[in-house]
Amino acid sequence: MTLHANTLDRRRLLQGMTLGGLGLTFAGQASAATSSGRPKLVAVIARGAMDGLSVTAPHQDPAYQTLRGGVALPPPGTANGTLALESGFGLHPALAGMHGLYGDGRMRFAPAVSLPTRIRSHFDAQDVLESGGAHLHQSDTGWLNRALEAAGGRGLSIGAQTPLIMRGPAETSSWAPGGRIGGQDRLASLLQDLYVEDRLLATNLARGLETEAQAQAGVMPGEAAPRRGDVSALGTSVARLMTGETGADVVAVSLDGWDTHTRQPAQMQARLTQLDQLVAGLRQGLGAEWERTVVVVATEFGRTARVNGTQGTDHGTASTLLLAGGAVKAGGLIGDWPGLSDAALFENRDLAPTLDIRSVFKGVLRDHLGVDRAALDGAVFPDSAREAPALAGLV
């Protein structure tokens, strides 16, 4: 088939366009009230390098207070202290909801994970994190998309643009939260007329309008539609796009703002409160589907062990990964803890990694989505056979 220039331009327009916040590329339909029974996976990318030493603070490590200075968190049982975890760790107090999941055996953490290559550039590290490769620019598709292709199911990305992690051969959808748009809106009508003779574009537009209607229909009577910054409502709305026979099975969500070079304590409080609200919203909106759901929270790299001169931290290496959800099995921390002594620090500045982040991803994909080891080692994470899935029975 020959594609004319105007057809290509219209397709680019459609792929990158939002109408009042509507993502037009969603390929779903209005979900039924019944449960799908399929496993669900939500990947949350904390963009900007989340400080793992604040998320899961190693308060019993002898060097922690000295290294962290004014950004150190008080231990459990003290004013504004962390929430007690195992093995001398404490969860940031803003994650009270997540701590409740931990108490139920439905949250686990890996305190020292990293990419397979050492990068301290946000953009480059996010490329490696999302592509699933061993080095920069190894692939122009994302590991979550390739996992979806191997496991089957429906994929969904949240935001105006599809992130690298969800790009690839498997057909996925997207939804950009925002204002309401109906079939009577002038722009929607014009687009429908414009694409009436183009089956692909007309179908994509119709699906986008359908998805926005689905998101709006998910708002209960008397309940306002999600507002910008209302992360709990966002989580609930996303969850409703995951329920029912036509709901999404694998979802990618980004949370920005983790580059805490200055005034880190206040920024971490705000960001982690949002993360806690997002997970709470997902849990509420998923209902019975929550028991089949795993939420993975990962970041491109951690931050320096030492506090800087502006009550912040700089680009580091290892960080914390969180697992939560009704499908997560109770168990200990994931991976080993290297310690914060001078001899243990990576390049005398960073938390040293003890676990390749791909190993945790592999464990989740194998145990939860049923992706076999050969596909994990070759297609999903190319040339990664040396990195075994972390801990049989994560989920």
Side-chain angles (χ1 to χ4, degrees), residues 26-348:
F26 191 84
Q29 301 173 358
S31 58
T34 56
S35 170
S36 71
R38 302 187 302 269
K40 305 287 184 179
L41 174 63
V42 181
V44 180
I45 302 177
R47 297 187 184 278
M50 180 177 71
D51 180 36
L53 294 175
S54 291
V55 178
T56 51
H59 60 87
Q60 288 187 5
D61 191 296
Y64 173 70
Q65 292 288 338
T66 300
L67 285 171
R68 296 258 101 182
V71 305
L73 295 168
T78 61
N80 301 314
T82 56
L83 307 172
L85 300 172
E86 63 203 84
S87 304
F89 288 88
L91 193 65
H92 193 287
L95 295 172
M98 295 279 275
H99 191 253
L101 293 175
Y102 174 80
D104 294 336
R106 295 295 178 262
M107 194 209 86
R108 299 181 67 174
F109 64 101
V113 300
S114 76
L115 302 175
T117 185
R118 303 294 166 253
I119 301 175
R120 295 192 182 102
S121 159
H122 292 300
F123 298 110
D124 290 348
Q126 287 174 21
D127 177 277
V128 176
L129 172 67
E130 296 183 63
S131 72
H135 52 79
L136 185 61
H137 304 316
Q138 183 171 346
S139 175
D140 58 2
T141 64
W143 66 263
L144 197 55
N145 183 283
R146 299 192 297 271
L148 190 64
E149 184 182 37
R154 299 176 177 87
L156 170 67
S157 61
I158 307 302
Q161 296 181 337
T162 302
L164 174 59
I165 194 172
M166 284 294 280
R167 297 177 198 163
E171 183 178 352
T172 63
S173 309
S174 64
W175 177 58
R180 183 189 302 259
I181 181 169
Q184 301 303 314
D185 285 20
R186 174 172 171 76
L187 185 52
S189 297
L190 288 173
L191 285 171
Q192 287 169 331
D193 290 342
L194 177 63
Y195 299 140
V196 68
E197 295 182 357
D198 189 314
R199 181 183 301 176
L200 174 62
L201 294 175
T203 300
N204 283 344
L205 176 61
R207 287 171 173 171
L209 294 171
E210 223 170 26
T211 301
E212 182 68 7
Q214 177 187 351
Q216 295 296 335
V219 177
M220 302 301 291
E223 180 182 349
R227 300 183 306 275
R228 186 178 299 276
D230 189 344
V231 183
S232 178
L234 171 63
T236 303
S237 295
V238 170
R240 287 168 180 160
L241 295 175
M242 298 172 63
T243 58
E245 292 301 324
T246 57
D249 305 309
V250 176
V251 178
V253 183
S254 296
L255 291 180
D256 298 326
W258 300 89
D259 198 14
T260 51
H261 289 283
T262 62
R263 301 187 301 278
Q264 178 169 300
Q267 293 194 65
M268 290 299 292
Q269 177 70 33
R271 301 293 175 265
L272 291 172
T273 295
Q274 289 186 327
L275 174 60
D276 205 56
Q277 291 173 343
L278 176 67
V279 175
L282 288 167
R283 184 181 186 184
Q284 177 184 348
L286 283 166
E289 300 275 16
W290 176 253
E291 294 304 312
R292 289 178 288 277
T293 299
V294 172
V295 180
V296 182
V297 182
T299 193
E300 66 263 34
F301 49 74
R303 308 196 70 83
T304 50
R306 295 181 178 87
V307 65
N308 63 25
T310 57
Q311 290 299 292
T313 53
D314 301 318
H315 298 179
T317 304
S319 188
T320 292
L321 178 147
L322 299 175
L323 288 182
V328 174
K329 293 182 179 178
L333 63 81
I334 305 166
D336 298 321
W337 174 244
L340 295 174
S341 68
D342 289 344
L345 293 179
F346 177 71
E347 295 184 349
N348 195 37

